[in-house]
Amino acid sequence: MHDYLTIITGSHRQESQSERIGHVLRERVEALGLFDGCEVLSLSGNPLPLWDEVIFSGDEQWKALLSPWRQRLRESDALIVVTPEWNGMVPSALKNFFLLFGAAELGHKPALITAVSTGQGGSYPIAELRMSSYKNARLCFIPEHLIIRDVASVFTGGDQEADRQLQDRTDYALSLLSEYGKALQQVRGSGVIDHKAFRNGM
């Protein structure tokens, strides 16, 4: 059995700090050997247009656009959701992501929320994602999360002691995510899940 991790970086910006941190996390995952495969999917440049109801009518353009994303997400055993804090909120592209993909791709898979802030913020996106985004998708945000503050100075080689402390916490969270990934494979393979009878969360 192969374990795959997908990292979603939620900033619209080109060359964003969120995307940089997403690649830092991928490097740590690979260094620790936690997953057999790991890929970063970036929302930079808005590759996914805003949700449109024609998705449900089998629109061919939407099928072609979403198909590779759906395949990668379905193959994933765990996710990391990296989000910046824009005016105290999760960016619209990331919220749109959770409208486009649901239980078929994300259901009963563990996810680690990683918030980034240019200052001392970062807590609001954590609360927002935990409150909304998982209900119908059935994504399981693990209890641990990361908040990377003063992100422009983090993992740049400037403050090695601060980086070491954050890396220790990051490695712990990633190791925990890996174990959740293995455990929830059993849940998905149990035969108990019934998204036809219970399509939406309460």
Side-chain angles (χ1 to χ4, degrees):
M1 183 177 292
H2 297 286
D3 301 319
Y4 293 102
L5 172 68
T6 296
I7 301 173
I8 306 297
T9 60
S11 177
H12 310 198
R13 291 174 174 161
Q14 303 287 351
E15 300 180 2
S16 69
Q17 291 291 340
S18 297
E19 187 167 351
R20 181 178 72 84
I21 292 300
H23 286 284
V24 169
L25 295 175
R26 178 183 55 79
E27 290 168 4
R28 289 310 301 160
V29 165
E30 292 173 351
L32 295 168
L34 295 174
F35 291 86
D36 297 316
C38 179
E39 182 177 353
V40 176
L41 297 182
S42 173
L43 298 180
S44 174
N46 294 304
L48 300 173
L50 289 178
W51 179 93
D52 189 297
E53 62 186 355
V54 298
I55 294 173
F56 295 128
S57 66
D59 181 80
E60 290 301 323
Q61 288 185 321
W62 272 108
K63 277 186 179 180
L65 177 64
L66 297 181
S67 179
W69 288 71
R70 282 183 171 145
Q71 180 177 349
R72 186 67 190 91
L73 293 169
R74 283 175 176 157
E75 292 171 351
S76 300
D77 298 293
L79 293 93
I80 297 174
V81 179
V82 183
T83 176
E85 183 174 21
W86 287 4
N87 292 329
M89 297 181 289
V90 171
S92 57
L94 186 53
K95 298 294 283 194
N96 185 56
F97 172 86
F98 287 108
L99 294 175
L100 296 174
F101 303 106
E105 297 85 17
L106 307 175
H108 308 282
K109 296 179 181 182
L112 170 68
I113 303 174
T114 301
V116 302
S117 173
T118 56
Q120 291 299 303
S123 60
Y124 283 95
I126 302 285
E128 183 177 348
L129 287 173
R130 290 195 184 282
M131 182 177 67
S132 66
S133 72
Y134 76 93
K135 182 178 87 72
N136 291 348
R138 292 352 196 270
L139 188 64
C140 299
F141 290 120
I142 68 172
E144 192 72 19
H145 59 250
L146 295 170
I147 301 178
I148 301 178
R149 299 183 168 102
D150 293 318
V151 64
S153 63
V154 170
F155 296 134
T156 61
D159 188 338
Q160 294 184 1
E161 176 61 20
D163 282 357
R164 185 191 64 77
Q165 292 178 6
L166 182 57
Q167 183 172 301
D168 288 347
R169 186 61 181 255
T170 298
D171 289 353
Y172 167 70
L174 294 173
S175 298
L176 193 60
L177 178 65
S178 176
E179 293 305 314
Y180 271 100
K182 295 171 186 175
L184 289 187
Q185 286 178 1
Q186 298 180 35
V187 174
R188 296 196 302 278
S190 68
V192 171
I193 296 169
D194 187 351
H195 289 156
K196 290 184 179 179
F198 307 103
R199 180 178 177 182
N200 297 322
M202 293 182 69

